[in-house]
């Protein structure tokens, strides 16, 4: 990105954030030049660029003004999924996504992998190395089925930040959040049962529903306030829903944090219909604001919330260390965890416990939150710069995932096929729906390193999106002309 | 154990192995004294001990002779489980077994944990430590859903020894054999389906059946030749059996290796009824004879065998590195593995791959086989010495597990309760049956270190068994007297 492009990005960011409102006059060229320490011509180029993008309009002798409607790419509207329980499909596409995950040369713009190149992770390596040097045979053996006690203690301590009063005995360690979720689902449901989910919803969970023969009813979800309680209530009235599965904090993929009153209302609603809540909090510690948002579990008085989480997004997914606080479903979850994998690997549990106990975890979290927040700004600049108009972009409040909605006729699956040549892949929106909706959406990971390679990939992606959108328009036109 | 007790053990071992046959004259006191470099009185004491145990009889002026019938504790007879599909119970007892696993002070005589204190494991620690020192971020990330390619290559190479032609692409890495089995079961069965299992059968698998709502039909199993093909055929004729789950090599808990012709016959039978075989080979590399026994998978031409294994028994269970070669069920197994846990932990996979590639695995296996075989001799001496008469003991051909059958009226669950005070626990036989049979049996782990502490534990166990058996007899007597 050149200097003037960067300035243009900054300005459009400010416009989006409402610092410059629609119709407002922008600072003069000279003011900006002084403010940013750049030449007059750089500012002029930046303003020209924004003008080209129809974000600002020049008015003779008065300077530049924010364009009336083009100020910010809007956020995705409330989703409108199918209003009945369906069996989950899309396994083939998920497999595609996963298969390309490590074919080395492919840049995964859509993965759910955190940034793993931070110095605050170094103590984790040191701890593991020291453990290996000690050659303690206990670390090679099974530990408790519940998980290493020292780790459960640390998790209980950390849970206080989310408003939860947990004891180590309330917690079962799992092989990643994945196992926490699958054991919870199995604990609560039988095959054929119905689960309500946010729409869009994490593809891993969706595939677990599919594998367990559980049907999903997708509930309209707002990219600011989360699952629609009104729609959920209607669904409860119509269908025998066993549980609601939500990611209320730094939602995957929409990035919202459900406001606390809505969390309370959701719990009350679920209580009224005597169902369970499976709460996936795996991104909760990555919320940008401090203190971190509370979990629904923290409001739960009768043990109907199964809180699932892991260190996969905050530390490292390769450790496969997750956990669940299953409330009243404790016994069944423990049984399901046992039949899945037996005990969880021993050494990584001790490593994570020591990492937290030695005080490395909170500083690491702080660093990651700041990194992701900064990255988000850069990535959204890039998206605005390289993507065509007419898109909606989510505004996450934490985590490292961004959801982009393209016009209805757009096909992200076809886009991914085209991108294969350029060694780029995104996460296709249809993975996030039981019924293959959201083919016009895609998920980006802005936790990726901010460097020319990533920028180039976003540029290529933007160009491909633009080409595809033009092709769409052409096709739509042809269709409207041809039929009669 | 004193010197004379040790000699007595050796002699009874020889008697059992048929070196001295029933009615045959034993070596003179002088000969034995010279042969073993012990005093005359030590030999005399040993002979007295064997005489007390009614293993030998003295004949005036002729020396000692092997007693007509008491030569060896017999092996367990063909088992007689319930002849219809049942739902698996016993989760409570399994949980008890698992909970006491790490309550530090309790000596687990019945666990399935290998001996982890061998020097041939040292390179594994070094490899892990070196990996941690390198700080390669890839090791913190997810690897392929299929598992680390380098590890799959090594497994394919090792599989040649069991007669299998596998490519790395035939293999899916799992979180222990536990996940391999549960993903296989899920790939082949729906809830409500029927699976045929050996009886007795590994409790982990049984609990997986329970958790998945699969019914088990327990097939009579012989402690030498394995599952009864005749009974299995009958079962196939009566019930819609989806798959047969067997541990044909170094069976858990009976220790047999199914003879090759019977393996062929089993496969042919299963083919005839178009079912699948889930083959658990987790102890197969620990067979005492070289070359190791073949797997049924190696005979399989149409992909109906799902071969499950892991490094939990040969290397270390705490690594949680297992694998499955699912044949024609590959796609479904992969899906089930994904919904269970996502990818398997990355670093341990690389560590195991390097351990094998650097040539440490086969020497380690050799050492472990020798260790377990030697241990078995010592443990069976101890059992013969400290246990009362009237028991049956399995004669394993590999692995580190021994099955002891006590008289029908015996209650091993009650025994375990009594042993709790002495900080000893055994694996109760009823865990190994869907319907809670084999309460009169127990499983011992002879991979435990041979030291005075272990010997003392076996002695305490033997004494407790003896007390319980006497109580049984008394109760039986009382019952026979009281009713009328």
């Amino acid at each position: 990105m050149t200097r003037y492009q960067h300035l243009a990005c900054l300005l459009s960011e400010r416009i989006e954030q409402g610092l410059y409102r629609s119709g407002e006059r922008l600072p003069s060229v000279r003011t900006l030049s002084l403010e940013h320490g750049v030449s007059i011509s750089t500012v002029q180029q930046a303003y020209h660029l924004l003008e080209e993008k129809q974000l600002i309009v020049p008015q003779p002798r008065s300077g530049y003004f924010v364009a009336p409607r083009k100020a910010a790419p809007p956020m995705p509207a409330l989703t409108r999924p199918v209003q009945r329980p369906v069996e989950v499909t899309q396994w083939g596409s998920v497999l595609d996504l996963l298969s390309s995950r490590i074919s080395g040369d492919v840049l995964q713009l859509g993965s759910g992998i955190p940034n793993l190149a931070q110095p605050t992770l170094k103590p984790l390596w040191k701890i593991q190395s020291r453990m290996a040097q000690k050659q303690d045979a206990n670390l090679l053996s099974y530990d408790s089925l519940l998980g290493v006690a020292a780790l459960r203690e640390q998790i209980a301590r950390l849970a206080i930040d989310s408003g939860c009063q947990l004891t180590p005995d309330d917690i079962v360690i799992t092989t990643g959040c994945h196992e926490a979720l699958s054991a919870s689902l199995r604990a609560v449901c039988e095959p054929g049962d119905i689960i309500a989910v946010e729409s869009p919803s994490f593809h891993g969970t969706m595939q677990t529903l599919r594998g367990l023969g559980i049907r999903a009813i997708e509930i309209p979800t707002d990219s600011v306030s989360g699952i629609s309680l009104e729609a959920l209530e209607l669904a409860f009235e119509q269908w025998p829903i066993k549980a609601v599965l939500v990611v209320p904090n730094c939602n995957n993929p929409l990035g919202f944090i459900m406001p606390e009153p809505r969390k309370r209302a959701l719990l009350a609603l679920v209580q009224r219909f005597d169902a369970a809540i499976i709460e996936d909090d795996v991104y909760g510690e990555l919320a940008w604001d401090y203190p971190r948002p509370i979990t629904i579990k923290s409001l739960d008085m009768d043990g109907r919330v199964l809180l699932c989480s892991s260190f996969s997004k905050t530390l490292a997914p390769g450790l496969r260390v997750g956990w669940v606080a299953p409330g009243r479903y404790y016994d069944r979850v423990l049984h399901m965890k046992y039949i899945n994998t037996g005990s969880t690997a021993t050494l990584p549990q001790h490593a994570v416990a020591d990492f937290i106990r030695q005080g490395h975890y909170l500083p690491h979290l702080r660093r990651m939150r700041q990194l992701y927040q900064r990255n988000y700004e850069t990535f959204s600049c890039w998206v605005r710069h390289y993507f065509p108009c007419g898109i909606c972009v989510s505004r996450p409040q934490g985590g490292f995932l961004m959801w982009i909605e393209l016009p209805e006729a757009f096909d992200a699956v076809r886009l991914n096929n085209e991108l294969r040549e350029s060694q780029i892949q995104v996460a296709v929106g249809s993975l996030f729906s039981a019924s293959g909706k959201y083919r016009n959406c895609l998920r980006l990971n802005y936790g990726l390193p901010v460097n020319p390679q990533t920028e180039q990939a976003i540029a290529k992606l933007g160009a491909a999106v633009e080409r595809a959108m033009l092709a769409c328009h052409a096709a739509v036109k042809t269709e409207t002309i041809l039929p009669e």
Side-chain angles (χ1 to χ4, degrees), chain A residues 277-308:
Chain A
I277 293 180
I278 300 175
E279 179 178 23
D280 175 356
D281 188 53
V282 78
Y283 294 92
E285 283 174 320
L286 295 175
W288 293 335
D289 285 346
Y290 186 85
R292 60 147 292 170
I294 62 159
T295 51
I296 302 175
K297 176 82 178 172
S298 71
L299 307 168
D300 175 34
M301 303 305 285
D302 55 2
R304 68 176 68 242
V305 180
L306 302 97
L307 177 63
C308 301

Side-chain angles (χ1 to χ4, degrees), chain A residues 247-251 256-257 263 279 281 283-284 292-295:
Chain A
V247 190
N249 293 322
C250 315
N251 177 271
F256 61 79
I257 292 175
K263 284 176 181 161
E279 179 178 23
D281 188 53
Y283 294 92
R292 60 147 292 170
I294 62 159
T295 51

Side-chain angles (χ1 to χ4, degrees), chain A residues 339-362:
Chain A
I339 70 164
N340 254 0
T341 55
S343 298
T344 300
T346 311
L347 192 145
Q349 291 186 65
H350 281 286
V352 173
D354 277 13
F355 187 83
I356 305 171
R357 199 176 43 75
Q358 292 174 14
H360 304 299
Y361 188 61
L362 296 182

Side-chain angles (χ1 to χ4, degrees), chain A residues 43-171:
Chain A
V43 178
Q44 283 169 332
Q45 279 179 292
Y47 271 158
H48 278 299
L49 190 64
L50 292 176
E51 195 187 336
E52 265 174 35
K53 303 205 128 221
Q54 301 176 310
L55 279 170
I56 61 175
V57 282
Q59 286 190 9
R61 301 191 192 203
S62 309
Y64 285 93
F65 289 77
V66 179
R69 289 180 46 89
K70 281 276 305 180
M75 293 175 72
L78 185 72
T79 57
R80 298 184 170 282
V82 187
Q83 284 281 18
R84 60 184 159 72
V86 291
E87 296 202 354
V88 181
T89 56
Q90 307 298 317
W91 166 235
S93 321
V94 172
L95 197 54
D96 272 358
L97 176 72
L98 299 171
S99 312
S100 62
R101 194 193 266 164
I102 51 123
S103 44
D105 314 320
V106 175
L107 182 62
Q108 277 295 339
L109 290 175
S111 81
I113 301 174
N115 190 307
L116 297 168
Q118 299 305 308
T120 42
L121 277 177
K122 282 199 174 164
L124 185 63
W125 288 116
K126 275 195 199 131
I127 288 167
Q128 288 187 83
S129 158
R130 221 171 299 136
M131 279 180 172
Q133 278 159 16
K134 263 204 213 152
Q135 309 202 352
D136 175 1
N138 287 325
L139 295 180
L140 289 182
S141 188
Y142 300 110
D143 201 283
S144 160
L145 178 60
L146 318 181
V148 167
L151 177 59
R152 287 183 285 126
E153 271 166 37
Q154 294 303 327
I155 291 171
R157 225 166 46 79
L158 289 173
I160 296 169
D161 290 346
S162 71
C164 267
Q165 300 284 343
L166 294 177
T167 73
D169 290 340
D170 295 326
I171 295 164

Side-chain angles (χ1 to χ4, degrees), chain A residues 411-420 424-428:
Chain A
D411 185 349
V413 178
R414 198 184 292 171
L415 175 77
N416 242 0
N417 290 339
E418 274 175 39
L419 287 171
R420 203 155 282 170
I424 302 171
Q425 291 285 276
V426 295
V428 170

